[in-house]
Amino acid sequence: EVQLLESGGGLVQSGGSLRLSCAASGFTFSNYVMSWVRQAPGKGLEWVSGISASGGSTDYADSVEGRFTISRDNSMNTLYLQMESLRAEDTALYFCARADIVAANFFDYWGQGILVTVSS
Amino acid sequence: EVVLTQSPVTLSLSPGERATLSCRASQSVDGYLAWYQQKPGQAPRLVIYDASYRGNDIPARFSGSGSGTDFTLTISSLEAEDFAIYYCQQRSNWPPMYTFGQGTKLEIK
């Protein structure tokens, strides 16, 4: 059974840092593109960042470029999101999501999400 | 950057009725469009991928159609468990990113 379990969220002051983790199980993690997607309270879904299966290629939404860093440890089956210079508008539920293995065009499995709250 | 616009914003229907949700892209996404269902307090769930293929364990009453810029998610006969928010999503190669529509809330009338 595919499982994605996020951790590391919490309350942080504006300008602070936080590192999210996503522990993957039930599939060969190193074969899949992975992403972080967030959802601000009462709002829609926003893609944040993605990383290739090997970890050699990363992409970011403009809203987080230069502040967030995505990475992965394929030996530990874990995805990370290092968040720096956090702002109130980064407050959201952060989901870890697996992209489809064929072309990474959509997300076939999602974690339950972890809440990040940035206080101003 | 591709923008996805969903309509209507809210759709009020009764169980047993047919639901038709629309997603329009600002430029062609070929056939690579997905739909997700999200219920309160839950993660999104893949419903349709590549415009017309059902995700794992998705009932046959869900169907997707469309290509290019206009896509539709149809639920043939609504059941109580189908009332949720639905998002469409596409992936672009340049700039490399994923985009979601703003969502359609399907509510019980």
Side-chain angles (χ1 to χ4, degrees):
Chain A
E1 178 191 6
V2 172
Q3 290 194 334
L4 299 169
L5 184 61
E6 301 95 340
S7 61
L11 176 64
V12 62
Q13 286 192 328
S14 180
S17 302
L18 212 56
R19 188 198 201 198
L20 304 183
S21 299
C22 171
S25 61
F27 64 101
T28 304
F29 181 70
S30 59
N31 286 349
Y32 288 83
V33 172
M34 299 293 295
S35 274
W36 290 97
V37 177
R38 70 185 180 184
Q39 187 169 38
K43 302 298 184 181
L45 301 170
E46 179 191 18
W47 174 79
V48 172
S49 181
I51 188 168
S52 63
S54 68
S57 177
T58 58
D59 297 302
Y60 299 92
D62 289 345
S63 57
V64 306
E65 179 87 57
R67 300 187 299 121
F68 290 11
T69 302
I70 191 171
S71 62
R72 64 192 297 162
D73 184 338
N74 285 343
S75 67
M76 297 289 290
N77 295 335
T78 304
L79 176 71
Y80 302 101
L81 186 67
Q82 179 68 42
M83 304 184 293
E84 308 280 352
S85 302
L86 283 161
R87 307 166 179 167
E89 55 264 37
D90 295 318
T91 293
L93 190 60
Y94 284 74
F95 296 101
C96 164
R98 188 184 86 168
D100 76 281
I101 197 168
V102 175
N105 284 331
F106 57 89
F107 304 112
D108 56 3
Y109 285 94
W110 298 65
Q112 282 304 300
I114 191 76
L115 184 62
V116 172
T117 303
V118 183
S119 65
S120 53
Chain B
E1 178 183 332
V2 177
V3 176
L4 298 177
T5 302
Q6 293 186 238
S7 61
V9 172
T10 303
L11 184 58
S12 300
L13 293 170
S14 300
E17 291 192 291
R18 180 184 187 91
T20 303
L21 288 67
S22 174
C23 178
R24 176 163 289 179
S26 59
Q27 56 189 272
S28 177
V29 299
D30 295 325
Y32 303 120
L33 189 101
W35 292 91
Y36 302 87
Q37 176 193 71
Q38 188 179 32
K39 297 179 181 179
Q42 296 185 16
R45 178 191 184 194
L46 177 67
V47 177
I48 296 287
Y49 66 94
D50 291 351
S52 61
Y53 295 89
R54 281 190 299 276
N56 291 340
D57 299 323
I58 300 299
R61 63 182 180 273
F62 288 86
S63 64
S65 63
S67 64
T69 61
D70 290 296
F71 297 86
T72 300
L73 172 67
T74 301
I75 310 171
S76 59
S77 179
L78 285 165
E79 298 197 6
E81 68 208 46
D82 301 335
F83 291 93
I85 298 175
Y86 290 84
Y87 296 94
C88 58
Q89 171 260 316
Q90 68 86 33
R91 178 201 178 200
S92 58
N93 290 322
W94 191 260
M97 63 182 299
Y98 298 85
T99 307
F100 292 90
Q102 84 280 15
T104 289
K105 182 179 182 180
L106 178 56
E107 64 177 25
I108 299 177
K109 187 173 182 179

